[in-house]
Amino acid sequence: MKIEPFLTEQFFADYEFSSPHLLASSDCETLSIATLLKMAGSSLEELGQVTLGYTESQGNLMLRSRIAEMYSGIEPSDIVILTSPVEGIYLGMQALLEAGDEVVALRPAYDALNNVARHLCRKVVPWKLSPGDGQWTLDFDQLDSLVGARTKMIVVNFPHNPTGFVPSPAEFEQLISFARQHDLWLFCDEIYRGLEWDAAIASAAELYEKSIVLGGLSKTYGLPGLRAGWLVVRDAEIRAELINWKHYTTICPAAPTEFLAEKALSIRYELANRSKAIIQQNLSLCREFFARFGDLFTWRAPQAGSVAFVELNLDQLGFESATEYCHHLAQDHGIVLLPGKCLGDDDRFVRMGLGREAFGASLAAYAAVISAMGGRSPVSSG
Ligand SMILES: Cc1ncc(COP(=O)(O)O)c(C=O)c1O
């Protein structure tokens, strides 16, 4: 059975490696293997000692122990190491969902969180984040109205891609109680965890026994090329089912990745603080930019994470849709913003990525393009 096109990855495939100004990337600034090892007190010589045999399917115990330390009340045996974070969405949903089940999933969302579920059980009901005054909001009455007799799982992602929304502790507990009351599984994608400005939010893994939690090194720690990710699965039966699916996909993690992931996690606060400093710097540039071009955009600052979802004033910009605008910017000006439609939302939003060091230079290039265009002739007049 075919699966829907992965619009986000397709859009990036068209422009990511050929455009000078990446303003939509969700990962944070990366670093070289040599720098990472030096920061972690290791060396290229030590990496050179890693052997290239098969590894344990569930993942190396030292790495799983390091990950378990990031959560309270979680054991190394609860962790499954993945061959990429995105693999965890596939495995988690394969282990739990079948035809006839229904899923309630936060929208907008990273494509895989909706599309894999829809592929497996055909019915995914969107739980929509609303663009409020100054920030995004969650509506629990809406959630209540979406759950039915066949609902098996709620899918969320906090800190959220693309809006940067984070629930308050009270909202998060309300969500957990709701899931428990209705006996639902909670798939919680926490790949941006650690990018909160203040204390990290609790993990669903710590609060709810029927959760599957996704973590990884791609975003917060700036290491997407490592393809390092993990699931926290407290339910032993589901964990075994999921590992069985893993035998059909990647069998076991890559040995060099496990070695480097363990080193990265030994300096995780340093890496996360490095990312947060870049994001804060870029957020202050955004405040100036959106104050300057307030008639063209509605800016809702993210509460955490490395992305923001910006509303376009399409009439002022002179385009029919965010998709049309983004293709124009990429093709004519080498500026990459991701159309919100890729993430299942209205075609009047774009995702901005705040974790890269070159963001300031790219935003300045974007400002120059806007000033030169002055908005294309408004669609209404042309
Ligand atoms: C919310 C979310 N989950 C999972 C992933 C997948 O991460 P990776 O591309 O490192 O596999 C992404 C990537 O953009 C994401 O934004």
Side-chain angles (χ1 to χ4, degrees):
M1 212 197 324
K2 285 194 174 171
I3 189 164
E4 285 164 73
F6 204 130
L7 297 180
T8 296
E9 299 302 340
Q10 288 182 352
F11 188 85
F12 275 107
D14 284 345
Y15 300 118
E16 183 175 9
F17 296 100
S18 54
S19 306
H21 297 300
L22 298 179
L23 280 175
S25 309
S26 57
D27 54 341
C28 293
E29 188 71 25
T30 197
L31 60 170
S32 70
I33 294 175
T35 306
L36 173 66
L37 289 173
K38 192 159 176 238
M39 284 171 76
S42 178
S43 63
L44 286 166
E45 286 68 33
E46 201 189 342
L47 173 64
Q49 301 304 311
V50 173
T51 56
L52 296 173
Y54 278 111
T55 61
E56 265 186 79
S57 280
Q58 189 171 349
N60 174 280
L61 181 57
M62 201 163 134
L63 176 57
R64 285 190 281 126
S65 306
R66 186 68 87 179
I67 292 166
E69 282 169 16
M70 300 167 76
Y71 304 89
S72 73
I74 296 299
E75 301 298 325
S77 57
D78 297 328
I79 311 288
V80 179
I81 306 295
L82 305 164
T83 303
S84 67
V86 72
E87 184 194 19
I89 299 174
Y90 182 78
L91 295 180
M93 294 190 179
Q94 275 290 8
L96 274 167
L97 299 176
E98 49 200 349
D101 291 338
E102 287 182 20
V103 167
V104 173
L106 210 57
R107 186 89 56 90
Y110 181 61
D111 318 32
L113 292 169
N114 277 227
N115 297 356
V116 174
R118 196 176 300 107
H119 176 71
L120 291 170
C121 63
R122 312 312 303 165
K123 185 145 185 208
V124 174
V125 186
W127 181 22
K128 291 193 175 158
L129 271 163
S130 314
D133 192 12
Q135 71 180 46
W136 293 81
T137 55
L138 262 191
D139 177 353
F140 280 91
D141 291 338
Q142 189 195 135
L143 175 64
D144 200 27
S145 71
L146 301 175
V147 167
R150 288 183 167 278
T151 310
K152 185 151 191 195
M153 183 190 269
I154 302 177
V155 178
V156 292
N157 156 226
F158 304 129
H160 182 245
N161 170 14
T163 61
F165 173 83
V166 188
S168 66
E171 284 176 319
F172 200 46
E173 273 171 30
Q174 189 176 349
L175 174 61
I176 304 283
S177 326
F178 183 89
R180 186 172 279 126
Q181 191 191 333
H182 294 265
D183 194 28
L184 300 174
W185 283 90
L186 182 66
F187 188 100
C188 192
D189 181 331
E190 299 179 0
I191 197 165
Y192 297 88
R193 190 162 182 248
L195 287 181
E196 300 81 6
W197 319 148
D198 302 314
I201 53 167
S203 168
E206 295 162 351
L207 302 178
Y208 189 38
E209 54 293 347
K210 285 186 79 171
S211 63
I212 297 195
V213 163
L214 177 65
L217 299 186
S218 301
K219 314 295 179 183
T220 308
Y221 306 98
L223 300 169
L226 210 47
R227 313 309 297 128
W230 61 86
L231 289 175
V232 190
V233 190
R234 283 167 57 185
D235 185 293
E237 209 176 306
I238 294 301
R239 199 165 57 240
E241 177 70 23
L242 196 146
I243 292 171
N244 187 46
W245 270 105
K246 190 170 163 59
H247 295 318
Y248 287 98
T249 53
T250 55
I251 299 181
C252 63
T257 293
E258 286 199 306
F259 173 86
L260 290 166
E262 199 277 325
K263 295 296 174 206
L265 286 174
S266 74
I267 50 162
R268 65 178 185 275
Y269 293 114
E270 215 173 322
L271 292 175
N273 287 339
R274 171 179 174 271
S275 300
K276 283 195 276 189
I278 297 171
I279 292 168
Q280 287 301 338
Q281 165 70 24
N282 292 337
L283 274 174
S284 70
L285 297 174
C286 281
R287 279 190 285 276
E288 284 167 30
F289 177 92
F290 289 110
R292 178 171 166 201
F293 298 112
D295 55 331
L296 300 179
F297 307 96
T298 303
W299 168 241
R300 294 177 182 86
Q303 292 164 274
S306 51
V307 287
F309 211 35
V310 181
E311 190 170 348
L312 305 180
N313 184 339
L314 288 166
D315 285 348
Q316 280 295 321
L317 287 164
F319 287 81
E320 295 282 353
S321 67
T323 302
E324 188 203 358
Y325 183 56
C326 290
H327 284 293
H328 163 79
L329 281 179
Q331 287 165 12
D332 290 17
H333 304 286
I335 289 167
V336 180
L337 290 169
L338 179 71
K341 198 163 184 229
C342 295
L343 303 159
D345 209 4
D346 296 353
D347 209 356
R348 63 192 162 94
F349 290 91
V350 294
R351 185 182 79 189
M352 232 175 198
L354 308 161
R356 298 288 187 90
E357 269 169 359
F359 182 88
S362 296
L363 195 65
Y366 184 26
V369 167
I370 295 175
S371 303
M373 287 167 79
R376 223 165 50 166
S377 54
V379 274
S380 49
S381 68

